[in-house]
Amino acid sequence: MLKISGGFLLGVMAALLLVWSSIGGLMFSERLSPYTVEETTARIQQNIQAAGNGWSISGLRNPAKPIEAEGGNVLPVLLIEACSAQYSGPILKDDGVRFLSLLMPCKISVYKKSDGKVYIGYLNAGMIGSLFGPLVGDIMAKVVVDQQGFLVMDPSKPAPALIIPKTGGESGGASGAEAGC
Amino acid sequence: MSQTKLLFAASLLGAVLAWSTAWGEVPGAARPANLAVPSGSAIPLGESTVDHSKLKELQKNFASGPEVTKACLSCHTEAAKQVQHTKHWTWEYTDPKSGQKLGKKNIINNFCTTSISNEKDCMACHAGYGWKDANFDFTAEANVDCLICHDSTATYRKLPGDAGHPVYERREFPHGSGKFVEAVDLQKVAQSVALPSRSNCGSCHFYGAGGDGTKHGDLDSALKKPGKYLDVHMDAKGLNFTCSTCHATAGHKVSGSRYEMAAALTGPAETRGKAAASPAACQSCHGDKPHKESILHAERLNTHSNKLACQTCHIPQYARDSIGTEISWDWSTATRMGTDGKPFLVKDSAGRRAFDSKKGNFVWDSYVVPEYRWFNGHVSYKTKGERIDPGQIVEINRPEGEAGQADSRIWPFKIHRGKQAYDSENNYLVVVHTAGEDDTALWANFDWQKAIGAGMQTAGMRYSGKFGFVSTEMSWPITHMVAPKNDALGCAQCHRENGRLEGITGIYLPGRDHSYLLDNIGWMVVLLSLLGVLIHGGTRAYLHFKHKG
């Protein structure tokens, strides 16, 4: 009996260890971009604007700026903030999941790594949604579809101009209040 | 503690100290002291012993730049002669190694290509007045432009098309932009002269190849007032170096030319007053053993200076700002018109030029990871008229040097790539008459044949009448935009597979390179050590329990 219980506990611990070590990779995804940081960002912004479903760009942050202001260097990183009141509204109205406002607005990060290549990082909305019941799960499933559309890079289209939203802009400061998220 | 143990510990300590001392120090070479900021940097105007606004010679209403120069020379009698012996004036350099005539006056580069036949535009960056063609008088002292380097008002501007003269009448620039450049007040500028500031040098060197940050990659207008992150020496709130703090100047001869680089200086920091081979080098102030952290770590880093230029680790990326730098210029698409048949412009997502019917396609980037080459300070050039192989990428210039050479180090480079026109029968790069309002200028008539014909005629070169486009590249050593020491490259940036130095040959780089024998010996040592620990620990445990009971 002791051996069975021990084996069971060992199995549980191994499973927990596996989940613990892979949870980061499950929550976030990363993909390579063929364009510069600015062009990748601009193309995603353009896709967001064309996505419909109430999506709008609510901010563009540059988390590197405060570090540069302190005299340090980090490779460029731009954080695109997008919001859809159509999706955020039902979640914000439900007291039970209102804390998920922490994840709003929806963010996509574009950054360069020391290999000189540009990457896109984003939250795995589908996985997050499945953890918080049917309301959030259904909404997040739709967000996932739209999010995939944001990341489509069509080389036949010319490079659009980077959009610097009036609120926030290219800074490390707060932004996005006017977009409703 | 037993006497044997004490003796052993003392021997070990002595060995470590002796080893690190022997490894780290060149006999007789003093470790460089922490140097104070050289006093020549950024002398505030108030510290000058002359108030130029009080000088009688400068009370005139000057009508032209040469008039101001004459006034300057009435006191600074030797200044023009000095300037006329520098590359800022001659735009020419004779390579002592190859005998090649180089300098802007002679070479074809990878950007605007050449100043030949385009002098009226290019000479906006010449320290002189009136160079519009081959007849320019290089001996006339009044043609020397003092103000481009000594203006402190930031109102003295020289525009393309004026053969090096400043703006005498208010003018729209760029043409059709709705932006106007005001006429210069020469009296005010002359009365306000000062030592060159970053803006003075930058008025040309930040804007090389026709745009901010275009050419060098490590020089752009962000350096006028940089933060510490961008350049630890020029940090406007910190050390606040001007260009001439490093590029120490005597008799108007500015040190640290790209044509005469010393890529591998050794020894301690330069002593003041001593004639330095290259006072603009890092080593001039820091010596070749600058690291002073914990002794073993510092010596490990210092030994890297045998193979690496300081810049390799301390400039992890160049163009570290939103201005960025141009990394490609493709002339083959120039003369392409819009759907309305008119020339057009396209900007990239960051607002930088991406296409211009006059010039072709451009690619820009920021925070660019350098490419690395062995470099001994000498650069060989593909000079005009020299044969090329159009089936290969033409190296406009090629940094020389290789592993094992005492004067070579691994250096970071910006490699600018592009395409430019060549004579497809004679197989050499062509001189193109680009700038100007005449009918043969490419930017006026968009006719390659006419523009090449006119350029080649001016250059005195034979043109077959047939041209094509060939892939080219040009290498630019990176040496500005030095990051704070905390942002220097870490070991793993190079000591790994597919790291930064993947393409560097001739050295064994641990982490990147593998030796079957060495690797196996290493693992054997690890395994034997582990085995030793286990046997030792096991034996002690066994004896402990055995004695216990």
Side-chain angles (χ1 to χ4, degrees):
Chain A
M1 187 62 189
L2 192 68
K3 281 183 183 174
I4 294 172
S5 305
F8 177 75
L9 280 173
L10 208 64
V12 169
M13 281 171 68
L16 284 173
L17 199 68
L18 192 71
V19 169
W20 179 256
S21 64
S22 58
I23 194 81
L26 291 172
M27 288 178 71
F28 301 97
S29 296
E30 184 181 70
R31 66 168 68 171
L32 204 61
S33 168
Y35 302 107
T36 62
V37 170
E38 292 89 351
E39 186 168 346
T40 305
T41 305
R43 284 179 181 273
I44 293 171
Q45 287 178 322
Q46 190 181 46
N47 291 340
I48 291 169
Q49 286 189 321
N53 293 334
W55 284 105
S56 64
I57 297 161
S58 55
L60 179 67
R61 290 171 194 266
N62 183 349
K65 281 279 181 211
I67 296 164
E68 287 177 357
E70 291 294 316
N73 275 280
V74 282
L75 284 162
V77 50
L78 289 177
L79 201 57
I80 307 160
E81 295 175 336
C83 184
S84 164
Q86 188 178 316
Y87 296 139
S88 62
I91 294 174
L92 292 173
K93 283 176 186 169
D94 184 338
D95 281 350
V97 289
R98 228 174 159 207
F99 62 88
L100 286 175
S101 55
L102 279 167
L103 299 178
M104 296 175 193
C106 175
K107 296 177 192 68
I108 297 173
S109 184
V110 181
Y111 46 89
K112 188 181 261 192
K113 289 191 185 180
S114 53
D115 60 5
K117 293 175 183 166
V118 175
Y119 295 81
I120 306 166
Y122 52 97
L123 197 69
N124 192 339
M127 193 266 180
I128 301 283
S130 64
L131 299 173
F132 298 101
L135 169 71
V136 179
D138 288 349
I139 289 172
M140 286 303 192
K142 291 173 189 164
V143 170
V144 169
V145 175
D146 290 350
Q147 196 182 46
Q148 290 306 315
F150 299 163
L151 306 182
V152 172
M153 301 282 153
D154 183 355
S156 67
K157 288 183 181 171
L162 196 66
I163 300 166
I164 311 288
K166 281 179 184 170
T167 49
E170 194 185 346
S171 73
S175 68
E178 283 184 0
C181 290
Chain B
M1 198 180 280
S2 73
Q3 210 170 13
T4 317
K5 279 182 182 169
L6 270 174
L7 188 66
F8 177 72
S11 306
L12 190 67
L13 183 64
V16 168
L17 286 173
W19 167 76
S20 57
T21 307
W23 194 14
E25 293 290 347
V26 175
R31 183 177 285 277
N34 282 324
L35 296 179
V37 180
S39 58
S41 67
I43 295 175
L45 276 173
E47 291 183 13
S48 174
T49 54
V50 180
D51 181 348
H52 284 81
S53 68
K54 294 177 180 170
L55 299 182
K56 190 180 69 183
E57 288 79 0
L58 301 181
Q59 305 304 321
K60 302 170 193 166
N61 286 319
F62 299 103
S64 70
E67 282 186 26
V68 178
T69 300
K70 284 176 189 168
C72 300
L73 296 179
S74 64
C75 292
H76 301 275
T77 57
E78 304 308 301
K81 293 183 190 73
Q82 291 175 351
V83 171
Q84 287 177 339
H85 283 91
T86 70
K87 286 189 283 295
H88 278 125
W89 174 258
T90 62
W91 278 26
E92 189 163 69
Y93 172 74
T94 304
D95 182 352
K97 197 171 173 185
S98 65
Q100 288 179 318
K101 287 274 186 194
L102 305 175
K104 294 177 191 298
K105 187 181 169 188
N106 298 301
I107 67 159
I108 294 175
N109 72 23
N110 216 29
F111 299 90
C112 301
T113 68
T114 178
S115 63
I116 302 164
S117 78
N118 304 305
E119 288 86 350
K120 279 181 78 175
D121 268 37
C122 299
M123 297 315 150
C125 272
H126 180 235
Y129 301 116
W131 186 354
K132 58 183 180 184
D133 54 34
N135 298 318
F136 178 64
D137 184 358
F138 284 92
T139 62
E141 294 191 6
N143 282 347
V144 171
D145 181 355
C146 310
L147 300 178
I148 189 66
C149 298
H150 294 285
D151 165 45
S152 71
T153 66
T155 61
Y156 185 82
R157 287 190 66 184
K158 310 215 294 185
L159 301 181
D162 293 341
H165 284 278
V167 178
Y168 297 131
E169 287 178 12
R170 185 175 191 262
R171 194 160 94 222
E172 186 184 33
F173 182 81
H175 182 67
S177 67
K179 295 175 185 170
F180 285 83
V181 178
E182 298 300 325
V184 66
D185 180 344
L186 287 170
Q187 188 190 66
K188 182 181 165 192
V189 173
Q191 291 180 357
S192 312
V193 289
L195 288 174
S197 67
R198 292 190 288 252
S199 293
N200 291 111
C201 306
S203 67
C204 284
H205 293 283
F206 295 161
Y207 297 91
D212 195 0
T214 305
K215 188 186 277 183
H216 294 272
D218 58 349
L219 291 173
D220 64 42
S221 65
L223 290 173
K224 285 182 186 174
K225 202 178 174 187
K228 186 180 177 184
Y229 82 97
L230 185 60
D231 193 296
V232 72
H233 301 109
M234 298 173 91
D235 173 16
K237 293 179 182 169
L239 293 172
N240 200 23
F241 279 21
T242 63
C243 305
S244 54
T245 309
C246 294
H247 293 272
T249 302
H252 285 96
K253 191 174 187 307
V254 181
S255 66
S257 164
R258 189 168 45 83
Y259 283 113
E260 302 163 284
M261 282 183 72
L265 290 170
T266 55
E270 307 283 357
T271 308
R272 280 189 199 184
K274 186 179 167 188
S278 181
C282 307
Q283 175 268 352
S284 305
C285 289
H286 294 283
D288 65 351
K289 303 195 188 320
H291 303 98
K292 299 178 185 69
E293 300 84 3
S294 63
I295 188 162
L296 292 180
H297 182 56
E299 295 307 339
R300 195 82 203 110
L301 291 177
N302 284 337
T303 55
H304 277 70
S305 66
N306 287 336
K307 296 283 186 292
L308 300 177
C310 306
Q311 291 87 338
T312 298
C313 296
H314 290 277
I315 310 177
Q317 297 88 28
Y318 57 89
R320 292 198 309 276
D321 52 48
S322 57
I323 296 164
T325 189
E326 184 187 291
I327 56 173
S328 169
W329 184 334
D330 179 358
W331 277 96
S332 71
T333 54
T335 71
R336 203 177 74 205
M337 297 294 170
T339 48
D340 58 358
K342 292 179 178 171
F344 68 107
L345 298 168
V346 176
K347 289 187 175 179
D348 72 8
S349 296
R352 305 174 289 217
R353 63 182 184 182
F355 177 80
D356 183 342
S357 292
K358 289 179 174 179
K359 299 171 183 176
N361 278 89
F362 307 95
V363 178
W364 285 72
D365 202 1
S366 294
Y367 297 81
V368 187
V369 175
E371 297 180 46
Y372 298 91
R373 304 273 191 274
W374 283 106
F375 185 38
N376 62 15
H378 186 257
V379 180
S380 59
Y381 277 79
K382 188 70 76 181
T383 50
K384 68 176 189 288
E386 201 174 324
R387 299 277 171 187
I388 60 164
D389 177 357
Q392 303 286 323
I393 295 170
V394 176
E395 287 181 289
I396 301 280
N397 69 347
R398 191 165 58 82
E400 294 182 349
E402 56 186 74
Q405 286 183 342
D407 59 355
S408 290
R409 297 288 183 274
I410 298 166
W411 269 75
F413 281 89
K414 169 186 172 178
I415 312 293
H416 181 268
R417 297 182 166 87
K419 280 185 182 172
Q420 60 175 281
Y422 76 105
D423 184 320
S424 55
E425 289 217 336
N426 291 315
N427 283 341
Y428 44 59
L429 298 175
V430 293
V431 170
V432 186
H433 175 43
T434 50
E437 300 300 319
D438 60 284
D439 182 46
T440 58
L442 185 73
W443 296 344
N445 65 18
F446 297 91
D447 184 331
W448 276 106
Q449 280 294 10
K450 276 188 179 178
I452 295 172
M456 295 294 271
Q457 190 178 8
T458 306
M461 293 171 69
R462 206 162 59 81
Y463 175 45
S464 70
K466 292 179 182 169
F467 73 97
F469 291 92
V470 64
S471 294
T472 54
E473 66 178 39
M474 193 169 190
S475 303
W476 295 83
I478 296 297
T479 193
H480 306 99
M481 294 189 178
V482 178
K485 64 180 179 181
N486 290 338
D487 294 322
L489 292 186
C491 309
Q493 290 280 325
C494 301
H495 290 280
R496 65 179 165 96
E497 288 173 10
N498 298 315
R500 290 190 180 230
L501 300 185
E502 190 63 24
I504 292 293
T505 57
I507 50 168
Y508 181 83
L509 188 64
R512 180 195 70 170
D513 302 324
H514 298 282
S515 155
Y516 181 79
L517 184 66
L518 269 179
D519 287 354
N520 280 310
I521 289 173
W523 279 115
M524 194 65 78
V525 169
V526 171
L527 285 173
L528 287 174
S529 304
L530 186 64
L531 201 64
V533 168
L534 288 174
I535 291 172
H536 177 77
T539 308
R540 292 195 68 162
Y542 170 75
L543 291 174
H544 173 75
F545 287 116
K546 193 181 171 189
H547 287 305
K548 237 182 159 181

